Amino acid sequence: MADAASIPQPGILGGRGLRRAFVVLGALFLAGCDTVVPRGPAPPPPPPRITQPQVEPGIPTDTERHRVALLVPLSGPNAGVGQSLANATQLALLDSRSERVRITTYDTATGASAAAQRAIADGNRLILGPLLGEDVRAVTPIARAARVPVVSFSNDTAAVGQGAYLMGYAPGQSIQRVVDYAKAQGITSFAGLIPNGTYGERASTAYLRAVENARGQVVSLQTYQRVPGSITAALTRMAKDSPYQALLIADGGNTAANAVPVMRRIGNGGARVLGTELWNSESAIATKPALNGAWFASVSDNLYRQYAAKYRARFGAAPFRLSSLGYDAVLLTIRIARDWRVGTPFPEERLHDRGGFAGIDGAFRFRGDGIAERALEVQEIRGGTTVTVSAAPTGFE
């Protein structure tokens, strides 16, 4: 585990002060292992035993700051995004100069349950993370028993509840936003190209609901497997159905860019292409000519670009797009810490502030089910860049 120190400054406002909070945010930017013993000759007799001073287990007690645990993967295949999240929390502490929060990082790659147990034993009253849905499910019962809320970075809605909150970008909200925008532009007939698997199932359910809410019609919904020829077969089946004005491709940018030329050739060549929140995490999405003119909804990149520049200057590398969740989780914690007495349980009810909070990714608030509701913008891929065609709301009613 690693401990991050903090430096003093006011936090970021939430609730009714969202607009002022965005101004403040802008100003911030501008301003244990097993040892393998080799075989060999018998070792010499040990030296005389020296009595060492007794050290209390865990990390030192901090009576001035709130103990907050960050649970992210720092080793294994997800170490890159985990380290980026950890760096983002450090940057948030430096930018806000809060004296009231101390963050200690624990590696979930060696076991999320064990990381949560260590964090709670060390006296942490709030857990930020984990990243993966399965880790959230492993951590939640342990944290719940200790009355420690979990504000995770996952978008796995099946992991929410029992004291676990999700800050991740939920596909259903992105799909609803882009469908509403398309309907406002006169589009009424929709089709969907959906991958098999959990994400595809959730995306298709959200899509059907979104189109129904917009009073449109889904005329074709085809699934595919991630094997050669499957997308072509799905689009061929789709071409036999009724014509459609917009096609949602519920997958990453590379898959969408490969599917669009096929759709143009054998399907409805004039249809508008729609994407999901997955596209916002791909820095090269705008450079794919096949996606020119496509729409997708996501969190705003306005403050993120400034954050990314500061991150690169400090850490010598570009951040992962998801790292902004770590930054915003710290801002949320600092905001609540103003009225949270050190040494007492985290006031979980404050997470349900209906006015919401402000962060790099814009305004957000937790719904009653614990999923972060976000103010999203709609972007269009145009000439090698992305252009905002419908701005995100600055707050909640």
Side-chain angles (χ1 to χ4, degrees):
M1 63 185 174
D3 199 44
S6 59
I7 306 175
Q9 182 188 33
I12 305 304
L13 296 178
R16 301 177 198 171
L18 281 174
R19 297 193 179 184
R20 181 183 171 196
F22 285 117
V23 174
V24 176
L25 273 170
L28 282 176
F29 286 120
L30 297 175
C33 300
D34 293 330
T35 301
V36 178
V37 180
R39 297 187 179 185
R49 183 174 180 179
I50 301 174
T51 301
Q52 299 290 345
Q54 294 296 317
V55 179
E56 186 178 348
I59 52 184
T61 301
D62 194 331
T63 59
E64 300 297 327
R65 292 176 293 179
H66 295 290
R67 301 300 309 277
V68 176
L70 175 68
L71 270 61
V72 290
L74 297 177
S75 56
N78 295 309
V81 65
Q83 186 60 60
S84 194
L85 282 160
N87 290 346
T89 62
Q90 293 182 37
L91 193 57
L93 287 175
L94 290 168
D95 285 347
S96 63
R97 297 191 180 182
S98 173
E99 288 187 314
R100 297 187 59 80
V101 175
R102 174 178 180 172
I103 296 178
T104 307
T105 305
Y106 301 80
D107 186 4
T108 55
T110 59
S113 297
Q117 289 169 345
R118 290 196 302 272
I120 291 168
D122 286 341
N124 292 283
R125 302 295 184 126
L126 174 67
I127 290 175
L128 305 181
L131 173 64
L132 305 178
E134 66 236 41
D135 288 347
V136 177
R137 285 187 282 273
V139 164
T140 299
I142 299 167
R144 186 66 174 176
R147 297 179 58 201
V148 174
V150 175
V151 178
S152 80
F153 307 128
S154 172
N155 67 350
D156 183 354
T157 55
V160 75
Q162 298 299 308
Y165 298 78
L166 303 186
M167 284 192 69
Y169 315 125
Q173 295 177 41
S174 170
I175 291 170
Q176 182 70 65
R177 178 75 167 91
V178 76
V179 166
D180 286 345
Y181 178 76
K183 182 62 166 53
Q185 308 314 303
I187 292 175
T188 58
S189 59
F190 297 81
L193 189 61
I194 311 293
N196 287 323
T198 301
Y199 181 86
E201 292 171 2
R202 292 173 181 165
S204 63
T205 299
Y207 190 43
L208 291 169
R209 183 180 298 117
V211 173
E212 180 182 6
N213 291 343
R215 300 192 177 184
Q217 183 180 11
V218 176
V219 298
S220 183
L221 194 67
Q222 299 294 334
T223 61
Y224 63 91
Q225 297 179 353
R226 290 187 172 92
V227 297
S230 186
I231 287 180
T232 300
L235 288 169
T236 301
R237 295 192 301 270
M238 188 178 292
K240 299 176 182 179
D241 294 329
S242 300
Y244 50 88
Q245 297 169 285
L247 171 66
L248 174 76
I249 304 178
D251 211 327
N254 287 331
T255 298
N258 291 331
V260 169
V262 180
M263 183 266 287
R264 303 289 186 209
R265 186 175 70 251
I266 66 176
N268 193 334
R272 179 76 63 168
V273 174
L274 310 179
T276 73
E277 87 295 341
L278 294 176
W279 292 16
N280 194 52
S281 62
E282 300 181 29
S283 58
I285 189 72
T287 65
K288 304 179 187 301
L291 298 182
N292 197 54
W295 294 332
F296 66 100
S298 72
V299 295
S300 173
D301 279 335
N302 291 336
L303 288 175
Y304 178 81
R305 294 187 184 99
Q306 298 174 55
Y307 155 77
K310 289 192 68 174
Y311 183 105
R312 282 192 297 269
R314 182 165 189 84
F315 300 107
F320 279 75
R321 183 61 182 84
L322 286 176
S323 68
S324 59
L325 296 177
Y327 193 104
D328 286 355
V330 172
L331 297 188
L332 177 153
T333 304
I334 291 170
R335 169 69 187 97
I336 294 177
R338 291 176 175 178
D339 306 314
W340 172 23
R341 190 160 55 86
V342 174
T344 63
F346 180 82
E348 185 176 345
E349 67 279 0
R350 295 295 308 281
L351 293 174
H352 296 280
D353 182 349
R354 300 310 297 161
F357 303 91
I360 290 174
D361 287 334
F364 69 98
R365 64 181 177 185
F366 290 106
R367 303 184 325 203
D369 59 5
I371 297 172
E373 176 185 356
R374 295 186 172 277
L376 302 178
E377 68 180 17
V378 179
Q379 299 180 34
E380 179 180 321
I381 298 174
R382 187 187 300 171
T385 188
T386 57
V387 178
T388 300
V389 292
S390 179
T394 57
F396 300 99
E397 296 274 328

